[in-house]
Amino acid sequence: MKALTQKRRHPFAFVALLLLGLLLTGGLYAAATTVNEAQASNLPEGYTSEQVEEGERLFVANCATCHGMNAEGTDAGPSLVGVGAASVDFQVGTGRMPMQMQGPQAQQKPPQFNEEQTAQLAAYVASLGTGPAVPEDEYLDVDQGDPSRGGELFRINCAMCHNAAGAGGALTEGKFAPSLHGVEERHIYEAMTTGPQNMPVFNDANIPPEDKRDIIAFLKTYENQGTPGGFSLGFLGPVSEGLLIWTLGLALLIGSMVWLTSRSS
Amino acid sequence: MAEHGNGESGAVVTAGEGESGTYAIDSPGLPPHRPRLSDVDEKAAKRSERQVATLFIISIIGTIVFMVGYFAIGRTSEEFGEYFDHMQWLRIQNTLLGVGSAFAMLGIGLGVVHWAKTLMPDHEIVEPRKPLRAEAERAEAAQMMGEIVEETQIKRRPLLRNTLIAAALLAPLPAVVMFRDLDRAYGEEFSPERMRHTIWDEGVRLVRDPTGTPIRASDLTVGSAMHVIPENLREISSHGERLSEKAKAVVLLMRMNPEDFEHTSPGREDWTYQGIIACSKVCTHVGCPVALYERHTHHLLCPCHQSTFDAAQEFKVVFGPAGRPLPQLPITVDDEGFLVARSDFTEPVGPTYWERGNA
């Protein structure tokens, strides 16, 4: 205290005092504006407050039975706080939610809500907590993607479940990885960022958005070019090919043996 | 009609002889010869001839189709720069090659069989079977063998016998040594030892496959799965060796809620980092890559034989033919915050191994 009293007549004391005052007022102002922004950030980016309100109404009417009145989750359905708009856009946009029936996993069906209602639901769920957003169009433009690089990434990260040709495959206890043929670019992207059902999450730190675009470009290229000849048999590899050769092939062999050994009339 | 073999072969049943006295049951003989339509009707024969010729012509057409597919399509497709058009032509070409070669073969085969069945002579022939046991020949062979043993004097001169056995036992050794050295093209260790270890070691960073970028713990959100290779893999210059080492060292990295871990053995408490857990991707059954991860059940499924491992219980086998859990890679973070291995796998990765110790 004594030291301070001695130094108050120091030539720089005025400067120090001025700095202190500026810092205080500046800091207070900054804190005040952050509080304001924090209140505003409840409104997710790209959505209007009307959409959030409308989405809440739809949510209470259609989803709250399983996910709870405030999306906090119940025994029948998980909490949706922080799952993000991408998750809603995928689950509702592909018809998986609302669920058709209880089972090992939610099945795809014609969507129950239109684009506008899906966006409203997404806005509401996104307002509950930050989560993956609906991807920007830039990352869905397959013309900008590199299909061959995407193919390598697909084979390392996706092919073990979804099949090297993206035709899907079986998992444990009735669950399965669905076919990726004919799935919209947006939904493929959202599945990677949110990890629906038992699919692992491939966030942007693992597969950056540009790489996701490459993977989508690979899938779309594969889908458009078709097979290089012969029957694809669902692209299921040895399963369907083996079944065909064991039934049709063996029947042909037995038929030709009967013909070879029969007497001519 | 030819008679079947007579009774002198010794293999003939004698008890309860038939009326002729030779066989138990009298030979019923052959059914009466039935002439074919083409044998009696010249028109039918002519029709068969045309059918066979048609089949041969189908074969000729098949060959031509193959040639057209191979040369004509092959040439024109080069003029199409557009990728998808190229794929269309490739599809047409492959179809023509397959269909053409199938009919080229099938036409000849079917034609020849039809020819033989309808036009070639069809009289029945009976070929008598030779006696099964020729005792005299057996005795002769046994005698020859005895003479050979006698003439070599191998029984009388055991020195010769013993040195011959020693020489024959030693002779394959050069081959063993040479084949062993085939495996030493790289590295000093002999192969069984090499299978015990991977290139994971203390402080080796976990990097993404294929980009090779290091991973921070925060890069994995709960529910994430990442396919990982060791950072020192890039230091291996030989392509073949790099692939061999990669095949052993591939790792799957997952993050789950730490409270989801159901069981942690003593000594493994610090093998995970904030719910991040790593395991070998090589199935312990026959070595398929296990990477079908279900993030809610924490099950890892092997696509080959449906072995299922539970990541929440240190990759214990919960279903299928695998005999032991997937080896877990102990991990932690280094000073810069990147995920690193604490050590190599503490047991050999991959299928059943002859001497396994988890210590």
Side-chain angles (χ1 to χ4, degrees):
Chain A
M1 227 28 225
K2 196 182 171 194
L4 200 65
T5 335
Q6 275 177 349
K7 280 183 182 152
R8 82 191 155 153
R9 294 200 190 279
H10 192 273
F12 285 113
F14 173 71
V15 180
L17 203 66
L18 192 68
L19 270 177
L20 193 71
L22 279 175
L23 273 175
L24 263 176
T25 45
L28 275 174
Y29 183 77
T33 43
T34 333
V35 170
N36 278 340
E37 271 171 9
Q39 278 164 353
S41 80
N42 270 341
L43 189 66
E45 204 182 327
Y47 294 106
T48 63
S49 55
E50 291 78 40
Q51 277 180 309
V52 175
E53 278 169 33
E54 198 56 42
E56 182 168 12
R57 226 165 289 150
L58 283 169
F59 184 88
V60 169
N62 294 283
C63 322
T65 320
C66 301
H67 291 292
M69 286 304 283
N70 300 309
E72 73 278 17
T74 68
D75 290 342
S79 162
L80 299 185
V81 177
V83 299
S87 197
V88 179
D89 194 55
F90 175 84
Q91 299 280 3
V92 179
T94 60
R96 284 178 167 83
M97 287 288 152
M99 234 171 145
Q100 195 166 28
M101 56 177 179
Q102 290 294 326
Q105 72 186 44
Q107 306 254 3
Q108 205 175 352
K109 67 172 190 305
Q112 195 170 325
F113 298 101
N114 60 27
E115 287 267 326
E116 191 191 343
Q117 291 167 321
T118 308
Q120 288 163 350
L121 276 171
Y124 170 64
V125 171
S127 75
L128 301 171
T130 43
V134 174
E136 288 160 38
D137 288 341
E138 175 196 351
Y139 298 119
L140 303 177
D141 182 10
V142 292
D143 292 335
Q144 290 184 50
D146 177 354
S148 84
R149 197 179 124 74
E152 191 183 4
L153 290 165
F154 183 86
R155 283 186 291 277
I156 286 173
N157 290 290
C158 325
M160 60 286 299
C161 294
H162 286 288
N163 170 314
L171 293 172
T172 65
E173 291 165 9
K175 297 185 282 290
F176 63 93
S179 163
L180 302 178
H181 296 169
V183 181
E184 273 181 48
E185 289 88 343
R186 198 172 87 220
H187 293 147
I188 299 174
Y189 190 103
E190 286 163 354
M192 286 189 265
T193 50
T194 62
Q197 325 256 348
N198 261 300
M199 175 169 163
V201 177
F202 297 92
N203 60 24
D204 288 352
N206 186 357
I207 304 180
E210 291 80 9
D211 291 6
K212 289 192 172 83
R213 181 171 63 197
D214 289 346
I215 291 176
I216 298 170
F218 164 75
L219 285 168
K220 291 299 159 193
T221 308
Y222 201 93
E223 209 176 297
N224 291 333
Q225 75 182 18
T227 66
F231 301 110
S232 67
L233 301 177
F235 293 108
L236 292 177
V239 177
S240 52
E241 285 162 19
L243 188 70
L244 185 83
I245 207 65
W246 277 99
T247 51
L248 197 71
L250 272 184
L252 272 175
L253 271 183
I254 292 169
S256 58
M257 281 192 305
V258 169
W259 177 68
L260 271 173
T261 52
S262 70
R263 273 183 62 99
S264 173
S265 63
Chain B
M1 286 294 104
E3 269 288 323
H4 292 254
N6 60 27
E8 284 173 21
S9 65
V12 165
V13 180
T14 50
E17 286 172 346
E19 280 171 31
S20 67
T22 314
Y23 296 105
I25 300 162
D26 280 335
S27 163
L30 288 164
H33 182 74
R34 186 165 52 84
R36 296 164 300 183
L37 208 55
S38 51
D39 292 335
V40 291
D41 184 1
E42 190 49 37
K43 262 190 186 169
K46 203 75 195 159
R47 193 167 59 237
S48 294
E49 188 187 347
R50 278 197 303 273
Q51 284 167 347
V52 173
T54 310
L55 285 166
F56 288 158
I57 290 168
I58 286 176
S59 164
I60 294 170
I61 294 171
T63 309
I64 293 170
V65 165
F66 181 93
M67 289 301 172
V68 168
Y70 195 84
F71 291 105
I73 304 274
R75 292 279 157 77
T76 49
S77 69
E78 285 168 14
E79 292 156 21
F80 289 90
E82 183 62 34
Y83 182 65
F84 292 138
D85 272 341
H86 179 76
M87 280 299 292
Q88 301 279 5
W89 282 110
L90 190 67
R91 176 151 59 244
I92 295 170
Q93 181 178 42
N94 279 340
T95 309
L96 291 184
L97 296 186
V99 170
S101 52
F103 277 103
M105 307 274 197
L106 210 59
I108 294 179
L110 294 178
V112 167
V113 172
H114 195 57
W115 182 1
K117 283 177 63 166
T118 57
L119 294 172
M120 289 186 194
D122 72 334
H123 51 258
E124 291 83 2
I125 297 172
V126 173
E127 216 177 323
R129 196 180 69 191
K130 287 194 179 109
L132 282 180
R133 273 172 85 114
E135 289 299 331
E137 284 169 28
R138 285 164 62 91
E140 194 186 342
Q143 193 198 342
M144 275 166 70
M145 286 304 292
E147 276 170 17
I148 289 170
V149 171
E150 201 55 43
E151 281 172 12
T152 53
Q153 306 169 9
I154 206 157
K155 282 182 180 164
R156 218 150 46 82
R157 304 188 193 277
L159 180 65
L160 284 180
R161 185 194 64 198
N162 294 346
T163 46
L164 175 65
I165 290 174
L169 282 178
L170 288 177
L173 270 185
V176 171
V177 170
M178 272 199 305
F179 284 124
R180 189 190 114 119
D181 264 359
L182 281 181
D183 193 57
R184 296 176 77 185
Y186 49 85
E188 283 303 306
E189 282 179 299
F190 186 45
S191 79
E193 273 314 302
R194 266 215 337 263
M195 288 179 191
R196 273 185 205 278
H197 305 294
T198 68
I199 57 171
W200 287 108
D201 205 351
E202 189 180 350
V204 172
R205 275 185 184 162
L206 284 77
V207 297
R208 290 177 181 84
D209 186 13
T211 51
T213 47
I215 303 156
R216 288 182 188 282
S218 58
D219 290 348
L220 287 126
T221 42
V222 170
S224 283
M226 208 180 266
H227 299 266
V228 166
I229 47 177
E231 190 176 38
N232 51 3
L233 191 67
R234 278 189 293 178
E235 292 158 16
I236 301 170
S237 53
S238 145
H239 181 68
E241 194 189 346
R242 197 162 58 237
L243 283 184
S244 300
E245 291 301 338
K246 184 178 178 179
K248 287 192 295 175
V250 280
V251 156
L252 186 70
L253 193 64
M254 293 143 279
R255 184 167 199 166
M256 58 178 94
N257 276 324
E259 57 261 36
D260 284 351
F261 289 128
E262 287 169 32
H263 173 70
T264 306
S265 310
R268 290 195 176 195
E269 294 88 355
D270 55 358
W271 281 21
T272 60
Y273 182 80
Q274 294 179 359
I276 301 177
I277 186 165
C279 72
S280 163
K281 275 206 290 192
V282 191
C283 185
T284 54
H285 177 220
V286 283
C288 290
V290 185
L292 286 73
Y293 175 60
E294 299 180 357
R295 70 166 169 127
H296 290 301
T297 59
H298 307 307
H299 285 176
L300 272 160
L301 174 68
C302 178
C304 293
H305 306 99
Q306 284 70 52
S307 290
T308 310
F309 304 88
D310 190 352
Q313 298 182 65
E314 296 177 344
F315 308 100
K316 189 180 108 176
V317 184
V318 290
F319 181 80
R324 62 188 182 104
L326 291 172
Q328 184 182 343
L329 183 73
I331 54 168
T332 185
V333 290
D334 65 7
D335 303 338
E336 294 174 62
F338 291 113
L339 289 168
V340 292
R342 296 186 86 95
S343 71
D344 190 5
F345 289 104
T346 54
E347 55 189 314
V349 299
T352 302
Y353 185 77
W354 50 93
E355 269 177 50
R356 183 178 319 281
N358 290 355

